[in-house]
Amino acid sequence: MSPAPDPHSADPRARAAATKRNRTRRALLDAADATFTARGWVRTRIEDVASNAGVSSATAYNHFPAKHALIAEVFAPLIAPLVAACHAAAADAARSDTPPAEVVGALVAQIRALTRIGVRNRGITAAYWAATQDYTVRVGALPDPSDEQDPRVIAPVVDVLLDLVENGQRSGALRTFPPAAQLCPSLVDVLLARIALDTSPASGQLARLVATLALGALAPERVVEGTVDGWELTPS
């Protein structure tokens, strides 16, 4: 993707170009949101998104050379607040002697929030999950932070949980095996796959499934107790 003109440039022509480019990008993202939601990952082409945005295919490809990047750019804002919340919670825990129960509660809260967002935006979530599966098969490797086309890098869903689990393992609040870098991608994949493959996923039930998987590995005593912050993991 070519760099955007500086919208704060003193050159009026540069400002006008930046404004036009930003408007076009916004139109493409809005069109992609609607198109991927309606048609899914496989049936959506960048040409379809361009047509719905009212721009040429060449213009769309200038902004988004591949649809993997396009769907990730649509999905990224949905999880951005949760990624920020994970970083903040992990930082707070690192600065203080946080009780293990609070670490577990924060982890479960993140899983519940991610589940709600995914279920609420099922079409986009399903398309994003399919894009990550396709891209992973194509590159045959873990995410590379320097790869600007990798949807796993553009919209890093794993970061919704990663810092929190890593910090909890370092502090002793959570068991150290499996390591966060191995466990969190698996938890996220289970969550996104269930949303993508179930036409009517129940948010609460799915959150309980993923939270139970997470705590079964990291804090099994909480699973035995059956509740976290008053929320029942195994309701009758």
Side-chain angles (χ1 to χ4, degrees), residues 117-127 195-201:
I117 287 174
V119 170
R120 191 180 304 131
N121 301 276
R122 180 183 175 276
I124 289 300
T125 301
I195 292 171
L197 300 176
D198 188 344
T199 57
S200 57

Side-chain angles (χ1 to χ4, degrees), residues 197-235:
L197 300 176
D198 188 344
T199 57
S200 57
S203 177
Q205 201 170 38
L206 181 54
R208 286 186 176 93
L209 169 63
V210 178
T212 301
L213 292 174
L215 299 185
L218 299 170
E221 66 281 1
R222 300 294 173 179
V223 178
V224 174
E225 291 172 6
T227 61
V228 174
D229 288 347
W231 186 60
E232 296 184 17
L233 288 174
T234 54

Side-chain angles (χ1 to χ4, degrees), residues 3-92:
D6 182 0
H8 304 295
S9 170
D11 184 345
R13 289 174 298 180
R15 289 201 305 272
T19 298
K20 180 179 179 181
R21 183 174 180 82
N22 290 338
R23 285 176 179 170
T24 301
R25 177 183 172 83
R26 183 70 261 163
L28 285 166
L29 290 172
D30 289 344
D33 191 334
T35 308
F36 279 115
T37 297
R39 303 185 60 170
W41 168 252
V42 173
R43 295 178 59 237
T44 296
R45 304 173 304 157
I46 286 187
E47 289 82 358
D48 302 320
V49 174
S51 176
N52 290 339
V55 303
S56 69
S57 295
T59 296
Y61 278 108
N62 184 49
H63 284 264
F64 302 101
K67 70 174 186 175
H68 296 90
L70 177 55
I71 183 60
E73 292 284 1
V74 175
F75 189 71
L78 297 177
I79 62 165
L82 295 184
V83 173
C86 180
H87 294 333
D92 287 345

